[in-house]
Amino acid sequence: MLPYGRQSITESDVEAVAEVLRGDWLTTGPAVGAFEAELARWTGGVPCVAVTSGTAALHVAYVAAGVRPGDEVVTSPLTFVATAATAALLGARVVFADVQPDTGNLDPGSAAALVTPRTRVVTAVDYAGHPADYDELRAVADEAGALLMADAAHSIGSAYKGRPVGALADLTTFSFFPTKTVTTAEGGAVAAADPQHLRRAAWFMNHGLVRDPAEQRHPGEGGWHQEVHAFGLNYRLPDVLCALGLSQLRRLRRFRARRAELVARYHLMLSDMPGLVLPAQRAYVEPAWHLYPVRVLDGRRREVYDRMRAAGIGVQVNYLPAYRHPVFEDLGYRRGLCPVAEAYYAEELSLPLFPGLSDLQQERVAETLAGILS
C-alpha cells in the first residue's frame, strides 16, 4: 500500500540518534537546547519549547495563554480533534467558526461574528500547510481582547506575506509526527514571543517546577531544592528524539522544495480532470505542503476513496469536523454548525504526498485517479 504520508529517514538521522544513545543523556540534555535553537531559526527568532507531541504543544500553549473554565476558544472544525479537545479539557467552551471554501482555513469573518468578551484565544489551523489569513485574524483577536494562536502542525517552514509561521501569532504550536514535514517520531513544540508566555509553557511542560532561587517562595533549602507553584505535567521531549529532530530540521529546505515540486506536478497532471477541484494557494503565501487535498465532486468521494485504496493507493480524508465526534455531540454540538466545513469534508480526499514519493509512484496515483473519475 502506497501511504498518503511517510517519514524520510537517512543514515545521518540514525547516526544522530545513535550518538545520543552512546552518550550520557537520554532525557533532557544538550540535544534539547540545540533542537529548540534550530527550530527558532525557522520561526524568525521566536523562542521555542520542545514537548512530547503536537497535542501536548496545544495543551501547553492554552495553559500559557491562561485558558480557564468559562473562557471561550474560537477555532476551526476542519482539524484533528486535539485542537479543540485540549481547550475543552481546560474547561473552555470551544466555539467553532466556519472555514474558507477554497483553502479550508479559518474564515476571519465567521470568527469575528462569534467572538465575545469571554473569548480568550482565537486559534487558526494552517490546513494542509497553507497559512491562514493572519492579518485579518489578528484584527479579530485584538478587537476581542484575545490572544491569537496558530496550530501550525502542518506548516513548519511556510511563510505568510514574507513572515515565517511561528512569528505570526502570539503562540504557535508544531507537530513532529512521522507524516509531518519534520519528525521526531512523536513530538511537538510551542513558540512564544512574549517571555511570560514562554515561561508559563516551560513551567507547565516540566511539572511546574521552579528551580531558580530568585523565583522560589522558599529559597535556601540547598542546591537540590525545587518547588511547584502551579501544577504541571511531564511533557519533556527527550534528547534522543531531539537529536533526530535536529538532524531533520537541517534538511527542512529540501523537504519543503520536494513537496512543492510534487504539488506542482499534481497540478499539471490533474488540472483538466473533470469532477475534481485542486487545492488553492493565496498569492501572498508560501505553503509548506503537508497534504495535497483535492475535492471530489458529484458525491463520489466515498467511491473514489474505496477504489483508490483497493488499488493499493493509501488516500486519506482530513478531517471529520471536530464537533461531529461523539464527545462533542454529547456536549450539545450538532451537525450543520459550520456548513462550509461540512461541505469541504464531504468532498475532501488527500493524495499521497511525502518527499520520498517518486515521480513514477505519483504518476500511478494520477493515472489511477483519472481512470476512476472517467
Side-chain angles (χ1 to χ4, degrees):
M1 176 71 73
L2 181 66
Y4 90 98
R6 176 185 282 160
Q7 65 270 22
S8 300
I9 301 296
T10 65
E11 284 304 311
S12 62
D13 295 327
V14 174
E15 181 54 36
V17 171
E19 185 177 350
V20 171
L21 290 173
R22 296 186 192 106
D24 295 328
W25 298 94
L26 292 181
T27 55
T28 305
V32 175
F35 175 66
E36 291 172 341
E38 183 68 17
L39 183 57
R41 293 181 61 243
W42 288 95
T43 63
V46 176
C48 303
V49 172
V51 296
T52 51
S53 68
T55 301
L58 289 160
H59 192 190
V60 168
Y62 284 133
V63 169
V67 172
R68 298 178 179 86
D71 289 339
E72 293 177 349
V73 171
V74 176
T75 192
S76 165
L78 200 62
T79 181
F80 185 63
V81 67
T83 311
T86 46
L89 282 167
L90 291 170
R93 176 175 175 263
V94 181
V95 179
F96 292 103
D98 218 336
V99 301
Q100 297 167 327
D102 56 347
T103 65
N105 282 333
L106 185 64
D107 186 330
S110 179
L114 293 171
V115 295
T116 74
R118 294 187 299 278
T119 303
R120 172 74 66 171
V121 178
V122 175
T123 303
V125 177
D126 295 337
Y127 183 79
H130 186 294
D133 280 315
Y134 281 100
D135 285 351
E136 290 84 351
L137 290 168
R138 169 63 72 188
V140 172
D142 287 352
E143 180 68 22
L147 293 174
L148 179 60
M149 186 164 137
D151 180 343
H154 293 183
S155 61
I156 186 171
S158 62
Y160 166 85
K161 297 184 180 179
R163 292 173 284 156
V165 163
L168 302 168
D170 298 301
L171 292 151
T172 303
T173 65
F174 297 103
S175 171
F176 306 122
F177 190 71
T179 57
K180 303 301 195 301
T181 303
V182 165
T183 187
T184 58
E186 287 278 7
V190 178
D194 186 317
Q196 188 61 29
H197 292 153
L198 189 71
R199 189 175 299 113
R200 287 178 191 161
W203 280 341
F204 185 72
M205 55 77 66
N206 190 28
H207 299 286
L209 292 172
V210 178
R211 291 193 171 104
D212 184 350
E215 297 176 335
Q216 290 176 347
R217 195 172 300 172
H218 305 290
E221 290 284 331
W224 64 85
H225 183 60
Q226 51 192 352
E227 56 190 38
V228 173
H229 297 180
F231 291 126
L233 295 170
N234 178 3
Y235 281 150
R236 298 190 302 265
L237 190 65
D239 245 39
V240 67
L241 298 186
C242 284
L244 173 59
L246 181 59
S247 179
Q248 290 260 307
L249 279 174
R250 289 169 177 161
R251 301 203 307 284
L252 177 51
R253 282 188 177 84
R254 276 181 278 164
F255 289 154
R256 187 179 60 182
R258 177 57 178 163
R259 286 174 177 271
E261 180 183 358
L262 290 166
V263 165
R265 283 173 51 81
Y266 268 138
H267 283 348
L268 285 173
M269 290 187 284
L270 303 177
S271 59
D272 297 324
M273 196 169 293
L276 201 67
V277 176
L278 304 187
Q281 179 179 338
R282 301 276 190 264
Y284 46 82
V285 163
E286 299 170 42
W289 292 104
H290 165 57
L291 302 174
Y292 189 79
V294 298
R295 305 273 294 276
V296 182
L297 306 181
D298 305 318
R300 299 187 65 191
R301 194 271 304 276
R302 176 65 180 269
E303 174 202 351
V304 173
Y305 172 90
D306 288 341
R307 292 178 65 182
M308 290 287 282
R309 292 184 73 87
I313 297 172
V315 292
Q316 186 56 280
V317 172
N318 305 96
Y319 296 94
L320 177 73
Y323 56 79
R324 285 181 52 178
H325 287 282
V327 66
F328 280 104
E329 290 179 351
D330 291 347
L331 293 172
Y333 295 81
R334 294 291 177 261
R335 295 190 183 204
L337 185 61
C338 296
V340 178
E342 297 206 15
Y344 194 105
Y345 161 70
E347 297 175 341
E348 195 275 339
L349 193 71
S350 298
L351 303 185
L353 182 67
F354 52 93
L357 184 69
S358 71
D359 290 354
L360 198 61
Q361 288 172 322
Q362 188 182 29
E363 288 160 14
R364 176 185 159 216
V365 173
E367 290 166 5
T368 304
L369 181 59
I372 294 169
L373 287 175
S374 62

